[in-house]
Amino acid sequence: MRVSRRAVMAGAAAGGGLFAAWWLMPRSYPAPLTPEEGEAAFGAWLKIDPAGVVTVAVPELEMGQGVTTLLPQIVAMELGADWRQVAVAPAPVSAAYANYPLAAKWAPLWQPAIPPLEDSPDDLLLRRWAERNRFMATADGMSLPAYELPCREAAAAARAMLCMAAADEWGVAWEECDTQAGFVTHGDQRLSFAALAQAAGGYTPPDPPPLRTEPPADPSRALPGDADLRELPFPRLDLPAKVDGSMLFAGDIRLPDMAFAAIRHGPVDHSELTGFDRAAAAGHRGLLGVVRGKRWLAAVGETWWAAERALDAMAPLFRVHALADSTKIEEALDAAVRRGTPQRVALRGDGDAGMERPDFALRYDVMPAAHGTIETASCTARLSGGRLELWLAAQAPERARAAAAAALGMAVEDVVLYPMPAGGSFDARLEHDHAIEAALIAREAGRPVQLIWSRWQEQLMERPRPPVSAVLSAKLGPEGRIQTFRARLAVPPAAREFGRRQFGNLTSWAAMEAVEGEADPMALEGMMPPYAIANVAVDHVPVRLPLPSGRLRANAHGYTCFMVESFIDEVALRAGQEPLSYRIGLLGEDLRLAQCLQRAARLGEWGGGEAGSGQGIACHRMGARPDESGGSGRIALIATAAAGEGGVRVRRLSAAVDIGRVINRDIALQQIEGGLLFGVGLALGSAMEYEKGLPRQARLSALDLPTLADSPEIRVELIESDAEPFDPGEIGVAPVAPAIANALFSATGLRLRRLPLLSGGL
């Protein structure tokens, strides 16, 4: 059974405002966007105040990716609003903003006990689950697939109502009216949105809403070649506040009578607090109290520093059930990739049938990778009158509410979450341990409390991208073409493990135990090559490690692309073929990826990757099966790098990217450039090592992240396309490591098959 999202009805809202309710939503759902006096609210998505300012609700976490500009831009273009009069409001947690595409992709995570009946975003059962659980998570680049159409429909419905109000005043047909720059127009006549909004409440929009014939696309591509691109029509709305420091983050919240909390956790992973020297903290200036959790100890002070110093003095002790240790982790992965029992998660053609003995096989290893966020976890909690309030940056706000409510034995309806932006996340804020801790500390302290993790605690509580060991093998045909390809990856079922924490509210060790031995296709995303190889088999060997793992920008694509593209380069060398030509010869019918390779080669001045050139190439496809033309992204990258004293120097990255229809060119370029730099960090650093349950990398400086001085010259060419838009935030990460590895081979003659590169030394 299907229900169209286009079904919309309208009626007068309380206070004379305008309200558009989606038929898909059960009628018991309250209107999430509350208009102030004099404002007209247009459903869940926008409202107009008496001055004509259009405020757009954004249900996604703003963490630097520009979603608080992108969704309002879609509304503004469909509505015909003046961008100078567009404002943003963080959307409250509501079923009105359910993220259906992400719920579909994550169906194996939230319903692990039963096979998905259907993983389509239009499946009614899936949609009801997403609505009932108010699932509005920000992850996996699903902002546009989830919210472009609802934003357009809401804006189109509001535009029709405004036109109807103006048409009646002018005595013309409303279909003859249009909107532009915040006015309804008809010939030489025009009326402002501000003058019409309240009156429009008595009108019913057409069903379906009258969408404009052309979907939103970046206006700059229509500008003449000599246009001044500094005057683009949709500059980011969040930049002024970030530049002048007025934007508030979770750590900026200040409440009356608020105290500050610091915390200590036990070693990774399963530890319990056994004791601490309370007397040692006596007399510490500014200390207000001590809160003991089962697995942590917190101090509450007049300042965070006072609480932190008191914790140092109390020296908490922990009993540990299992200790993370890098040596043992590598031994377990090695044993699994050599002798473990594989489970097939992807197949093409005849798989590996007939490949009893491969012609070519290579081993790859990947260390755990940290998020490396500048902003550490923070949450402000206030418990009063049976209501818990949380000020929190959360990628999954309803899951954070539910977890905090469960910890305090409250109903989730009694928890209010005020969404705050994040200073970068890279999926770290999908986790919500700090929200639970802040709620418990506030209850014991009897006053509002702001909990901030120190950098050491952030590193200790890190759920890194999982470590991997893999063997890739191939049977070769004439001219070195790959006839059969097999990948065998030993890796924890990281996505399923995350799902049990996220949706089952399990501890990290309980989640690992629950998914032990399960195959996890999401942990091997991107391993199916984009090339026209007739027979492909992808096998997962699940590994249980004493280290929890989580989501990280680009997720599995960050290591699967490294393996595939490094392997392809070595096969091309064995076949005596130039790497670019070899790849294009294997692509088959994927003309979009072939075009990316050709454009990147021109942009990067590709010289064939000859010995001594320091050039390497890689490409990748994300988000679609091979037979799909839309809803996917493609990238090709040329890296110029060299090894020398002090490590690796990446001099230039030249990328050609096809992400379909581009809505905001500036944001797309920013996200791709940021992804490329993040990829450099993963290629050359970001690794986490553990000894006796403690991370060796205690500070950001220990992660070997690229500094401004390390940043290469970056060239990005966006390929114009009318395909469905694809999120630009993660695709830039994937090809960086293999491109650099291939560049280092051309520069030094050494093959590096371990991430981070040079982690095993030269």
Side-chain angles (χ1 to χ4, degrees):
M1 180 179 180
R2 296 280 193 267
V3 181
S4 170
R5 271 188 283 181
R6 292 180 179 271
V8 66
M9 58 181 291
L18 186 65
F19 174 65
W22 305 104
W23 280 20
L24 186 61
M25 292 193 298
R27 299 192 180 192
S28 60
Y29 289 174
L33 196 61
T34 305
E36 303 294 334
E37 184 177 354
E39 289 182 333
F42 291 70
W45 291 97
L46 64 137
K47 59 184 181 179
I48 302 175
D49 74 6
V53 174
V54 178
T55 299
V56 180
V58 175
E60 298 274 89
L61 172 65
E62 174 59 70
M63 46 188 173
Q65 82 278 36
V67 71
T68 49
T69 295
L70 203 60
L71 296 185
Q73 179 185 338
I74 292 168
V75 169
M77 295 178 78
E78 187 69 46
L79 181 63
D82 185 340
W83 188 244
R84 296 169 299 179
Q85 289 188 287
V86 173
V88 178
V93 177
S94 170
Y97 309 111
N99 189 331
Y100 304 117
L102 186 60
K105 183 175 182 181
W106 283 7
L109 308 185
W110 54 263
Q111 54 174 11
I114 58 174
L117 298 177
E118 186 174 357
D119 61 358
S120 166
D122 291 324
D123 178 64
L124 186 58
L125 178 64
L126 182 145
R127 292 167 71 86
R128 287 291 184 243
W129 176 88
E131 293 159 6
R132 186 174 63 253
N133 289 274
R134 294 180 282 268
F135 181 70
M136 42 189 284
T138 307
D140 283 14
M142 290 295 177
S143 297
L144 286 177
Y147 299 119
E148 181 185 18
L149 183 58
C151 282
R152 290 190 65 195
E153 289 179 332
R159 172 166 45 82
M161 293 172 169
L162 292 166
C163 286
M164 289 174 181
D168 277 0
E169 186 162 334
W170 294 327
V172 299
W174 75 267
E175 293 89 349
E176 298 174 3
C177 299
D178 198 3
T179 57
Q180 185 178 13
F183 289 86
V184 178
T185 63
H186 182 270
D188 294 334
Q189 301 180 97
R190 69 176 194 167
L191 286 170
S192 70
F193 288 178
L196 294 168
Q198 289 293 323
Y203 295 85
T204 300
D207 180 13
L211 298 176
R212 296 189 186 275
T213 55
E214 294 294 328
D218 187 79
S220 65
R221 68 178 183 175
L223 297 175
D226 59 349
D228 187 351
L229 295 182
R230 291 174 299 177
E231 299 298 328
L232 293 177
F234 296 103
R236 286 184 62 152
L237 295 177
D238 56 338
L239 283 187
K242 288 180 176 178
V243 170
D244 65 21
S246 61
M247 176 167 279
L248 295 180
F249 295 88
D252 296 320
I253 296 300
R254 295 294 182 267
L255 301 175
D257 196 35
M258 188 181 83
F260 297 85
I263 199 166
R264 291 289 186 278
H265 301 94
V268 181
D269 171 49
H270 186 182
S271 56
E272 296 178 8
L273 180 67
T274 57
F276 58 96
D277 188 354
R278 186 184 292 268
H284 263 69
R285 185 175 179 180
L287 179 65
L288 299 175
V290 177
V291 179
R292 175 174 184 161
K294 185 175 182 180
R295 302 178 182 92
W296 47 264
L297 180 69
V300 181
E302 295 176 357
T303 66
W304 182 86
W305 184 239
E308 178 74 4
R309 292 195 64 187
L311 284 173
D312 284 339
M314 289 187 286
L317 299 174
F318 295 87
R319 179 174 61 249
V320 182
H321 298 270
L323 285 173
D325 183 90
S326 290
T327 300
K328 294 180 180 179
I329 288 172
E330 292 186 5
E331 290 174 352
L333 289 169
D334 182 70
V337 78
R338 291 175 182 271
R339 300 180 293 275
T341 302
Q343 301 182 49
R344 187 138 297 171
V345 297
L347 183 71
R348 183 193 298 167
D350 295 329
D352 60 349
M355 193 173 73
E356 297 178 1
R357 190 180 186 91
D359 296 323
F360 199 57
L362 294 173
R363 166 78 176 264
Y364 297 91
D365 294 283
V366 178
M367 298 176 69
H371 295 84
T373 59
I374 299 297
E375 179 188 35
T376 62
S378 59
C379 178
T380 301
R382 177 167 61 189
L383 181 63
S384 177
R387 185 175 76 164
L388 173 66
E389 297 173 281
L390 298 174
W391 287 260
L392 178 70
Q395 288 180 249
E398 182 64 7
R399 304 318 307 162
R401 286 180 70 211
L408 268 60
M410 302 173 61
V412 69
E413 289 75 18
D414 294 326
V415 178
V416 179
L417 188 147
Y418 303 102
M420 306 298 297
S425 173
F426 318 122
D427 283 352
R429 301 305 167 233
L430 281 168
E431 310 286 352
H432 44 250
D433 303 72
H434 54 303
I436 298 171
E437 293 164 354
L440 291 170
I441 295 168
R443 182 183 66 182
E444 299 304 313
R447 62 196 298 177
V449 169
Q450 183 175 98
L451 171 66
I452 299 178
W453 286 0
S454 67
R455 176 59 59 183
W456 167 242
Q457 294 304 303
E458 180 82 12
Q459 296 296 96
L460 184 62
M461 292 295 286
E462 173 75 40
R463 272 100 185 230
R465 188 183 69 185
V468 192
S469 288
V471 173
L472 274 58
S473 53
K475 185 176 182 61
L476 306 180
E479 300 180 351
R481 290 183 64 89
I482 301 176
Q483 294 181 334
T484 302
F485 172 83
R486 179 175 64 207
R488 174 187 173 99
L489 278 71
V491 59
R496 291 186 179 275
E497 174 190 327
F498 160 78
R500 293 302 180 94
R501 290 198 306 270
Q502 185 80 185
F503 300 107
N505 203 27
L506 299 184
T507 61
S508 54
W509 52 90
M512 288 188 285
E513 182 178 352
V515 301
E516 185 171 359
E518 291 185 6
D520 187 354
M522 292 177 68
L524 280 71
E525 275 188 310
M527 185 50 73
M528 180 65 72
Y531 304 103
I533 301 172
N535 305 303
V536 179
V538 179
D539 293 338
H540 181 199
V541 182
V543 184
R544 171 74 184 272
L545 302 175
L547 175 68
S549 51
R551 310 288 288 172
L552 184 142
R553 189 177 188 177
N555 293 299
H557 293 273
Y559 51 80
T560 56
C561 180
F562 166 67
M563 297 171 184
V564 171
E565 286 299 288
S566 297
F567 186 80
I568 291 294
D569 229 58
E570 296 210 46
V571 175
L573 177 67
R574 180 185 175 108
Q577 297 191 34
E578 185 266 328
L580 172 62
S581 301
Y582 184 78
R583 284 175 167 82
I584 291 179
L586 282 179
L587 276 178
E589 298 181 357
D590 196 334
L591 300 180
R592 292 173 63 191
L593 189 53
Q595 186 180 29
C596 286
L597 281 164
Q598 293 167 345
R599 296 277 192 95
R602 287 197 296 268
L603 190 65
E605 301 170 6
W606 174 250
E610 297 177 350
S613 69
Q615 285 191 319
I617 190 170
C619 63
H620 194 58
R621 179 175 64 203
M622 293 179 69
R625 296 187 296 271
D627 59 339
E628 292 176 329
S629 59
S632 59
R634 289 157 175 82
I635 184 171
L637 178 68
I638 306 293
T640 304
E645 291 186 12
V648 176
R649 179 71 175 176
V650 182
R651 303 187 184 281
R652 181 189 297 168
L653 296 174
S654 303
V657 188
D658 181 347
I659 53 170
R661 172 168 46 89
V662 176
I663 295 176
N664 189 305
R665 181 180 177 82
D666 270 4
I667 290 177
L669 290 174
Q670 290 163 12
Q671 283 296 287
I672 293 167
E673 291 168 1
L676 292 171
L677 283 176
F678 194 84
V680 172
L682 291 175
L684 304 179
S686 302
M688 294 291 290
E689 298 173 283
Y690 295 86
E691 184 176 7
K692 296 181 179 179
L694 301 178
R696 293 175 183 167
Q697 290 74 22
R699 305 179 65 85
L700 275 179
S701 58
L703 291 176
D704 294 324
L705 300 175
T707 65
L708 187 60
D710 301 320
S711 299
E713 175 190 355
I714 294 179
R715 302 174 178 179
V716 177
E717 179 178 340
L718 286 175
I719 298 175
E720 190 167 319
S721 172
D722 292 325
E724 286 300 305
F726 184 79
D727 182 79
E730 303 198 353
I731 195 168
V733 177
V736 177
I740 295 175
N742 295 336
L744 290 176
F745 171 74
S746 70
T748 66
L750 295 174
R751 281 290 180 186
L752 302 174
R753 305 187 186 103
R754 180 182 175 89
L755 283 182
L757 304 173
L758 301 184
S759 57
L762 285 173

PDB file of all heavy atoms in Angstrom, residues 1-17:
ATOM      1  N   MET A   1       0.850  -1.199   0.000  1.00  0.00           N
ATOM      2  CA  MET A   1       0.000   0.000   0.000  1.00  0.00           C
ATOM      3  C   MET A   1       0.880   1.241   0.000  1.00  0.00           C
ATOM      4  O   MET A   1       1.876   1.313   0.699  1.00  0.00           O
ATOM      5  CB  MET A   1      -0.892   0.011   1.245  1.00  0.00           C
ATOM      6  CG  MET A   1      -1.816   1.229   1.321  1.00  0.00           C
ATOM      7  SD  MET A   1      -2.855   1.155   2.790  1.00  0.00           S
ATOM      8  CE  MET A   1      -3.776   2.667   2.608  1.00  0.00           C
ATOM      9  N   ARG A   2       0.523   2.247  -0.803  1.00  0.00           N
ATOM     10  CA  ARG A   2       1.276   3.480  -0.910  1.00  0.00           C
ATOM     11  C   ARG A   2       0.361   4.663  -0.585  1.00  0.00           C
ATOM     12  O   ARG A   2      -0.820   4.667  -0.892  1.00  0.00           O
ATOM     13  CB  ARG A   2       1.838   3.670  -2.329  1.00  0.00           C
ATOM     14  CG  ARG A   2       2.843   2.599  -2.723  1.00  0.00           C
ATOM     15  CD  ARG A   2       4.203   2.932  -2.112  1.00  0.00           C
ATOM     16  NE  ARG A   2       5.239   2.107  -2.700  1.00  0.00           N
ATOM     17  CZ  ARG A   2       5.638   0.960  -2.186  1.00  0.00           C
ATOM     18  NH1 ARG A   2       5.084   0.510  -1.092  1.00  0.00           N
ATOM     19  NH2 ARG A   2       6.602   0.267  -2.760  1.00  0.00           N
ATOM     20  N   VAL A   3       0.921   5.679   0.053  1.00  0.00           N
ATOM     21  CA  VAL A   3       0.212   6.926   0.285  1.00  0.00           C
ATOM     22  C   VAL A   3       1.100   8.046  -0.223  1.00  0.00           C
ATOM     23  O   VAL A   3       2.252   8.148   0.170  1.00  0.00           O
ATOM     24  CB  VAL A   3      -0.094   7.132   1.782  1.00  0.00           C
ATOM     25  CG1 VAL A   3      -0.851   8.436   1.980  1.00  0.00           C
ATOM     26  CG2 VAL A   3      -0.902   5.967   2.323  1.00  0.00           C
ATOM     27  N   SER A   4       0.588   8.895  -1.106  1.00  0.00           N
ATOM     28  CA  SER A   4       1.410   9.940  -1.711  1.00  0.00           C
ATOM     29  C   SER A   4       1.691  11.048  -0.722  1.00  0.00           C
ATOM     30  O   SER A   4       0.821  11.498   0.019  1.00  0.00           O
ATOM     31  CB  SER A   4       0.700  10.534  -2.931  1.00  0.00           C
ATOM     32  OG  SER A   4       1.371  11.681  -3.376  1.00  0.00           O
ATOM     33  N   ARG A   5       2.946  11.524  -0.723  1.00  0.00           N
ATOM     34  CA  ARG A   5       3.298  12.669   0.102  1.00  0.00           C
ATOM     35  C   ARG A   5       2.697  13.957  -0.446  1.00  0.00           C
ATOM     36  O   ARG A   5       2.728  14.995   0.195  1.00  0.00           O
ATOM     37  CB  ARG A   5       4.824  12.816   0.168  1.00  0.00           C
ATOM     38  CG  ARG A   5       5.443  12.028   1.300  1.00  0.00           C
ATOM     39  CD  ARG A   5       6.902  12.358   1.433  1.00  0.00           C
ATOM     40  NE  ARG A   5       7.692  11.699   0.399  1.00  0.00           N
ATOM     41  CZ  ARG A   5       9.008  11.805   0.303  1.00  0.00           C
ATOM     42  NH1 ARG A   5       9.661  12.551   1.144  1.00  0.00           N
ATOM     43  NH2 ARG A   5       9.674  11.173  -0.647  1.00  0.00           N
ATOM     44  N   ARG A   6       2.151  13.904  -1.661  1.00  0.00           N
ATOM     45  CA  ARG A   6       1.569  15.099  -2.242  1.00  0.00           C
ATOM     46  C   ARG A   6       0.193  15.425  -1.653  1.00  0.00           C
ATOM     47  O   ARG A   6      -0.329  16.523  -1.847  1.00  0.00           O
ATOM     48  CB  ARG A   6       1.456  14.939  -3.758  1.00  0.00           C
ATOM     49  CG  ARG A   6       2.806  14.900  -4.454  1.00  0.00           C
ATOM     50  CD  ARG A   6       2.621  14.734  -5.942  1.00  0.00           C
ATOM     51  NE  ARG A   6       3.884  14.722  -6.632  1.00  0.00           N
ATOM     52  CZ  ARG A   6       4.514  15.799  -7.090  1.00  0.00           C
ATOM     53  NH1 ARG A   6       3.987  16.977  -6.900  1.00  0.00           N
ATOM     54  NH2 ARG A   6       5.656  15.702  -7.725  1.00  0.00           N
ATOM     55  N   ALA A   7      -0.406  14.419  -0.961  1.00  0.00           N
ATOM     56  CA  ALA A   7      -1.734  14.661  -0.401  1.00  0.00           C
ATOM     57  C   ALA A   7      -1.639  15.700   0.705  1.00  0.00           C
ATOM     58  O   ALA A   7      -0.971  15.510   1.695  1.00  0.00           O
ATOM     59  CB  ALA A   7      -2.303  13.353   0.140  1.00  0.00           C
ATOM     60  N   VAL A   8      -2.278  16.832   0.530  1.00  0.00           N
ATOM     61  CA  VAL A   8      -2.159  17.919   1.498  1.00  0.00           C
ATOM     62  C   VAL A   8      -3.526  18.586   1.676  1.00  0.00           C
ATOM     63  O   VAL A   8      -4.305  18.675   0.737  1.00  0.00           O
ATOM     64  CB  VAL A   8      -1.098  18.955   1.035  1.00  0.00           C
ATOM     65  CG1 VAL A   8      -1.547  19.668  -0.220  1.00  0.00           C
ATOM     66  CG2 VAL A   8      -0.809  19.969   2.121  1.00  0.00           C
ATOM     67  N   MET A   9      -3.810  19.004   2.900  1.00  0.00           N
ATOM     68  CA  MET A   9      -5.049  19.723   3.147  1.00  0.00           C
ATOM     69  C   MET A   9      -4.711  20.973   3.940  1.00  0.00           C
ATOM     70  O   MET A   9      -3.660  21.061   4.569  1.00  0.00           O
ATOM     71  CB  MET A   9      -6.040  18.852   3.920  1.00  0.00           C
ATOM     72  CG  MET A   9      -5.522  18.347   5.256  1.00  0.00           C
ATOM     73  SD  MET A   9      -6.710  17.313   6.105  1.00  0.00           S
ATOM     74  CE  MET A   9      -7.955  18.513   6.513  1.00  0.00           C
ATOM     75  N   ALA A  10      -5.593  21.942   3.899  1.00  0.00           N
ATOM     76  CA  ALA A  10      -5.309  23.187   4.597  1.00  0.00           C
ATOM     77  C   ALA A  10      -6.551  23.673   5.312  1.00  0.00           C
ATOM     78  O   ALA A  10      -7.668  23.413   4.904  1.00  0.00           O
ATOM     79  CB  ALA A  10      -4.832  24.251   3.615  1.00  0.00           C
ATOM     80  N   GLY A  11      -6.344  24.385   6.399  1.00  0.00           N
ATOM     81  CA  GLY A  11      -7.454  24.975   7.130  1.00  0.00           C
ATOM     82  C   GLY A  11      -6.936  26.086   8.005  1.00  0.00           C
ATOM     83  O   GLY A  11      -5.736  26.289   8.124  1.00  0.00           O
ATOM     84  N   ALA A  12      -7.832  26.823   8.636  1.00  0.00           N
ATOM     85  CA  ALA A  12      -7.411  27.939   9.464  1.00  0.00           C
ATOM     86  C   ALA A  12      -6.803  27.423  10.752  1.00  0.00           C
ATOM     87  O   ALA A  12      -7.345  26.545  11.399  1.00  0.00           O
ATOM     88  CB  ALA A  12      -8.611  28.836   9.763  1.00  0.00           C
ATOM     89  N   ALA A  13      -5.659  27.969  11.122  1.00  0.00           N
ATOM     90  CA  ALA A  13      -4.990  27.588  12.366  1.00  0.00           C
ATOM     91  C   ALA A  13      -5.498  28.472  13.497  1.00  0.00           C
ATOM     92  O   ALA A  13      -6.119  29.509  13.283  1.00  0.00           O
ATOM     93  CB  ALA A  13      -3.487  27.746  12.217  1.00  0.00           C
ATOM     94  N   ALA A  14      -5.180  28.035  14.719  1.00  0.00           N
ATOM     95  CA  ALA A  14      -5.570  28.834  15.869  1.00  0.00           C
ATOM     96  C   ALA A  14      -4.918  30.207  15.777  1.00  0.00           C
ATOM     97  O   ALA A  14      -3.779  30.343  15.384  1.00  0.00           O
ATOM     98  CB  ALA A  14      -5.126  28.124  17.141  1.00  0.00           C
ATOM     99  N   GLY A  15      -5.670  31.240  16.141  1.00  0.00           N
ATOM    100  CA  GLY A  15      -5.135  32.589  16.084  1.00  0.00           C
ATOM    101  C   GLY A  15      -5.197  33.199  14.709  1.00  0.00           C
ATOM    102  O   GLY A  15      -4.596  34.229  14.455  1.00  0.00           O
ATOM    103  N   GLY A  16      -5.916  32.574  13.786  1.00  0.00           N
ATOM    104  CA  GLY A  16      -6.052  33.155  12.462  1.00  0.00           C
ATOM    105  C   GLY A  16      -4.912  32.834  11.538  1.00  0.00           C
ATOM    106  O   GLY A  16      -4.870  33.328  10.422  1.00  0.00           O
ATOM    107  N   GLY A  17      -3.934  32.000  11.958  1.00  0.00           N
ATOM    108  CA  GLY A  17      -2.794  31.676  11.108  1.00  0.00           C
ATOM    109  C   GLY A  17      -3.173  30.661  10.056  1.00  0.00           C
ATOM    110  O   GLY A  17      -4.269  30.121  10.022  1.00  0.00           O
TER     111      GLY A  17
END
